[in-house]
Amino acid sequence: FSWNALAVPFMNVAQMPWGGCMALRAREMSNPAVREYCEQRFNEDMTLGSYVIQQGQRVFFVTNATIVNHETITMKSFYNFLVRQLLAVRSSFFGWRLLFVNILALNLSVLALYCLAFPIPCKAEVASSLLGIALLLYLGMLGSDFMIREKIAHRGETIPRWPITTLFVLPVAMVCVNSLNLVASIQALWGGIHVWRGITYRFSY
């Protein structure tokens, strides 16, 4: 949840579609250039998103099309998922360099909170800035959840309410996710082989 809550708004800004609920005009799919473009890519969503942007078109985020995933996941599988997502971005999204710079900057900013335990210059100012970033991310997660719950309710679906303890666990989860995301980003920059759902993919850049 923490990763999705932070990733989805960023995907919206970067015009990065998600294949789980993505629509494309039929005339685009019948275009031979699109099919040829997809033949050499790892995934369909980032590939098609990159293609339409390069053609001078736009990717629009439609909140009502949001799909809620009720599955659970182990930490090991989640990390593997992170690496896969970042490999998909690197191999298929035309603006992946700028994206990775933003990912690294955000993750390092949150992880820098650990440095507050040590004597550093301008500690009060640094603490205020870092805690402000963390608070904005936390409020953004809660705001995203509230917005999605409203949209889902209009469709006649319900999502179980969180226990109050979850609100206190989320900040810890947010820091953990950023730590894993940072390591996964580095692995995606260097990694050339990845196993996903029993299939081994080899990347060459």
Side-chain angles (χ1 to χ4, degrees):
F1 170 82
S2 298
W3 187 85
N4 282 331
L6 296 173
V8 170
F10 191 88
M11 291 173 68
N12 183 18
V13 173
Q15 299 186 58
M16 299 166 62
W18 178 60
C21 54
M22 180 180 68
L24 190 72
R25 290 185 175 90
R27 67 171 181 268
E28 297 293 348
M29 287 305 299
S30 61
N31 185 348
V34 174
R35 299 186 181 187
E36 183 179 353
Y37 192 79
C38 291
E39 284 178 356
Q40 304 173 20
R41 300 297 189 277
F42 171 56
N43 62 334
E44 79 288 350
D45 44 13
M46 297 295 172
T47 297
L48 292 171
S50 293
Y51 179 83
V52 298
I53 293 174
Q54 290 175 9
Q55 299 304 308
Q57 302 178 52
R58 284 185 56 82
V59 174
F60 288 96
F61 183 70
V62 181
T63 312
N64 288 330
T66 301
I67 295 176
V68 179
N69 186 353
H70 297 281
E71 296 176 331
T72 58
I73 190 170
T74 64
M75 191 65 73
K76 180 180 179 181
S77 297
F78 171 65
Y79 180 78
N80 194 43
F81 165 79
L82 280 184
V83 176
R84 175 192 177 275
Q85 294 299 97
L86 293 165
L87 282 170
V89 172
R90 186 187 174 193
S91 64
S92 305
F93 193 65
F94 76 101
W96 71 268
R97 290 182 178 83
L98 179 60
L99 176 68
F100 270 71
V101 169
N102 280 276
I103 289 175
L104 294 174
L106 176 61
N107 293 335
L108 289 173
S109 296
V110 175
L111 291 177
L113 287 168
Y114 294 119
C115 297
L116 299 180
F118 304 96
I120 57 175
C122 305
K123 186 172 182 177
E125 291 79 1
V126 173
S128 299
S129 300
L130 294 177
L131 290 173
I133 292 173
L135 179 61
L136 287 175
L137 292 175
Y138 180 67
L139 293 176
M141 289 170 58
L142 296 180
S144 299
D145 179 68
F146 177 78
M147 179 183 69
I148 295 300
R149 284 176 182 273
E150 280 202 323
K151 296 294 182 181
I152 296 300
H154 286 310
R155 299 204 306 238
E157 302 176 41
T158 57
I159 304 176
R161 292 186 177 276
W162 286 347
I164 192 66
T165 53
T166 303
L167 295 176
F168 300 101
V169 173
L170 277 179
V172 179
M174 184 178 68
V175 174
C176 291
V177 164
N178 276 277
S179 303
L180 290 173
N181 215 20
L182 179 60
V183 178
S185 301
I186 296 171
Q187 183 174 339
L189 287 173
W190 290 341
I193 298 177
H194 186 68
V195 179
W196 177 254
R197 298 189 185 275
I199 300 175
T200 300
Y201 296 89
R202 186 183 301 273
F203 297 85
S204 58
Y205 300 103

